[in-house]
Amino acid sequence: MKLSKKSEYGLRALLELTTVQGKSLQRHEIASRQHIPVEFLEQILLALKRAGLLSSRRGMNGGYQLIKSPDDITLGQVIRILDGPLAPIGCVSKTAYQKCSDCPYTDKPQCPVQRVMGTVRDAIADILDNYSLNDFAAGHRPI
C-alpha cells in the first residue's frame, strides 16, 4: 500500500484540527501551517465533511472543525474515505472486491498471491483501524 498525497494531506489537515479541537480553522490556515495547496485541501476537506467527520461554517469566524471526537476517528477510516480500500490488490479487498481477470488460480481453491496479500491487508487494517487521530496527534506509536 502506498499512501496517496490526498490521504497524507488529509491526515495532516486532521492533525491541525485535532490540535485545536472545538475551534474552527479556515482552510487557508490549515494549508499554510501544513504546506498543502489550498485548492487540493478544499477537495479533501469537502470529502471529509461529506463523510461526517467535519463541519464547516462560512464567514469571518467560519472554517472547519471536527464533529467527532479524535478518539473516535481512525487513520484507517480517513484513508478509506480519501483513497478507498486498504487492500494491496482487488481480490483481497473486503469492501471493494474485484476478481482477477488474468490470474491462473481463479479456478483453483486457493491463490498463493491472494493468501499472502490477504495477510498484508489484515496487518495494515489492524494497525490503521486501531490508531486514532488522538494517538496520531500525541505521537504515540501504533501497537
Side-chain angles (χ1 to χ4, degrees):
M1 179 188 129
K2 182 177 188 317
L3 192 66
S4 72
K5 278 293 182 190
K6 188 176 189 179
S7 283
E8 179 188 338
Y9 290 164
L11 290 171
R12 288 171 31 196
L14 289 170
L15 182 63
E16 280 299 319
L17 291 168
T18 298
T19 62
V20 298
Q21 189 180 356
K23 297 179 183 175
S24 294
L25 284 177
Q26 294 184 347
R27 65 183 177 176
H28 68 83
E29 292 175 288
I30 299 169
S32 175
R33 292 178 188 179
Q34 289 293 327
H35 306 283
I36 302 171
V38 73
E39 296 82 15
F40 193 25
L41 178 61
E42 180 64 24
Q43 295 171 23
I44 294 165
L45 294 173
L46 287 174
L48 295 171
K49 180 181 173 185
R50 280 193 299 271
L53 301 184
L54 303 178
S55 66
S56 65
R57 272 192 326 223
R58 292 181 183 218
M60 212 47 172
N61 297 317
Y64 288 88
Q65 71 180 67
L66 293 173
I67 56 175
K68 283 185 158 185
S69 165
D71 284 322
D72 297 331
I73 301 171
T74 68
L75 273 59
Q77 182 182 12
V78 174
I79 294 167
R80 284 185 188 94
I81 289 166
L82 297 174
D83 282 346
L86 299 176
I89 56 176
C91 67
V92 298
S93 176
K94 290 186 176 184
T95 59
Y97 174 82
Q98 292 179 343
K99 186 176 182 175
C100 299
S101 61
D102 60 348
C103 180
Y105 297 97
T106 54
D107 297 333
K108 310 263 192 270
Q110 280 195 322
C111 168
V113 174
Q114 189 178 44
R115 189 172 46 246
V116 172
M117 290 300 117
T119 303
V120 170
R121 176 214 52 224
D122 292 345
I124 291 169
D126 188 47
I127 293 168
L128 295 176
D129 290 339
N130 290 293
Y131 200 65
S132 72
L133 283 182
N134 255 352
D135 295 329
F136 188 48
H140 295 147
R141 294 191 66 150
I143 297 172

